[in-house]
Amino acid sequence: MSNSDSDFFLQQMADVTPLKQDAITTPSTNAKNALNNFYKQQSSKQISLLNDALTNTQVTFIAPDDYISFKSPGLQAGVFKNLRLAKYDIDAKIELQGLSIKEAQDTLINELTQCHRRNIRVVLIKHGVGKENSEQPAKMKSYVNAWLVHFPFVLGFHTAQTHHGGYGAVYVLLSKNEQAKLANREIHAKK
């Protein structure tokens, strides 16, 4: 910039008043506690709604050696394929074998909700095959298949590979929790 340009700029800026800058504050302990209480209340509501939905779900019984599979509309085909082929690390396991249907329902709601809160993305659920059940083969597997689609944070699921339990287990892909989504937005906003 030449001297004349610099002088002109300074003349034009002579009447400009600088803006006052607000002090940057961090959330107080009370604000953090209020936010945590809000999330706990939301969690309680979500668990209650899930419990009602799962209790009232109509279950279509399937054969012990049927595949179970679900892909939510927004899930990319490549991500689902990687889940199906066990290319993701399993972050948690939930064991439902030997439980009553009500115990399995409560366990599934509590464990999957905790996994989502902790931002666990891939869960292996062991439901068993149920061939020995002469009354209703694959009963637990059928319930798990019917229940999983009601979880808002379940993006997809698929019968496990043989080395992870085969027809007696299912891989479940969970969405990122709100904190992880926010962190991801902040990372990509900076670029």
Side-chain angles (χ1 to χ4, degrees):
M1 225 171 20
S2 68
N3 281 343
S4 62
D5 288 339
S6 178
D7 292 339
F8 177 73
F9 176 76
L10 292 174
Q11 286 174 346
Q12 295 298 314
M13 297 301 290
D15 295 331
V16 175
T17 308
L19 295 173
K20 292 181 183 176
Q21 185 168 350
D22 295 334
I24 298 172
T25 59
T26 56
S28 66
T29 304
N30 289 340
K32 288 179 184 175
N33 289 340
L35 189 60
N36 285 337
N37 287 337
F38 172 77
Y39 284 130
K40 285 178 187 175
Q41 288 172 354
Q42 292 301 97
S43 233
S44 298
K45 287 180 189 175
Q46 186 178 39
I47 288 173
S48 177
L49 290 172
L50 275 170
N51 201 10
D52 291 345
L54 271 53
T55 300
N56 297 320
T57 296
Q58 294 291 81
V59 176
T60 303
F61 290 96
I62 56 177
D65 52 0
D66 281 349
Y67 281 96
I68 61 174
S69 185
F70 165 77
K71 177 184 166 296
S72 65
L75 185 61
Q76 296 173 345
V79 172
F80 186 69
K81 180 180 178 183
N82 287 341
L83 176 71
R84 183 175 54 84
L85 297 175
K87 293 195 175 182
Y88 297 122
D89 290 336
I90 295 171
D91 301 317
K93 294 179 184 177
I94 301 174
E95 181 68 52
L96 301 179
Q97 289 176 293
L99 301 179
S100 70
I101 296 300
K102 180 62 180 150
E103 290 170 334
Q105 177 182 326
D106 292 342
T107 299
L108 193 63
I109 289 171
N110 291 329
E111 294 292 323
L112 275 185
T113 302
Q114 283 299 320
C115 287
H116 185 249
R117 270 192 213 138
R118 293 179 16 229
N119 203 37
I120 289 174
R121 300 298 306 280
V122 180
V123 179
L124 178 69
I125 299 174
K126 293 194 170 194
H127 48 68
V129 179
K131 286 185 179 180
E132 302 81 31
N133 188 342
S134 58
E135 176 187 312
Q136 182 59 62
K139 185 175 182 179
M140 185 66 71
K141 179 178 183 172
S142 299
Y143 271 92
V144 169
N145 184 46
W147 288 338
L148 285 174
V149 297
H150 291 285
F151 287 83
F153 47 81
V154 169
L155 297 175
F157 59 85
H158 195 280
T159 296
Q161 296 289 317
T162 307
H163 63 280
H164 286 133
Y167 295 117
V170 63
Y171 302 121
V172 181
L173 180 65
L174 305 180
S175 65
K176 291 180 181 179
N177 65 23
E178 288 305 313
Q179 293 163 331
K181 287 179 187 176
L182 180 62
N184 198 36
R185 279 188 221 116
E186 287 176 359
I187 289 168
H188 293 290
K190 290 179 183 176
K191 291 183 178 182

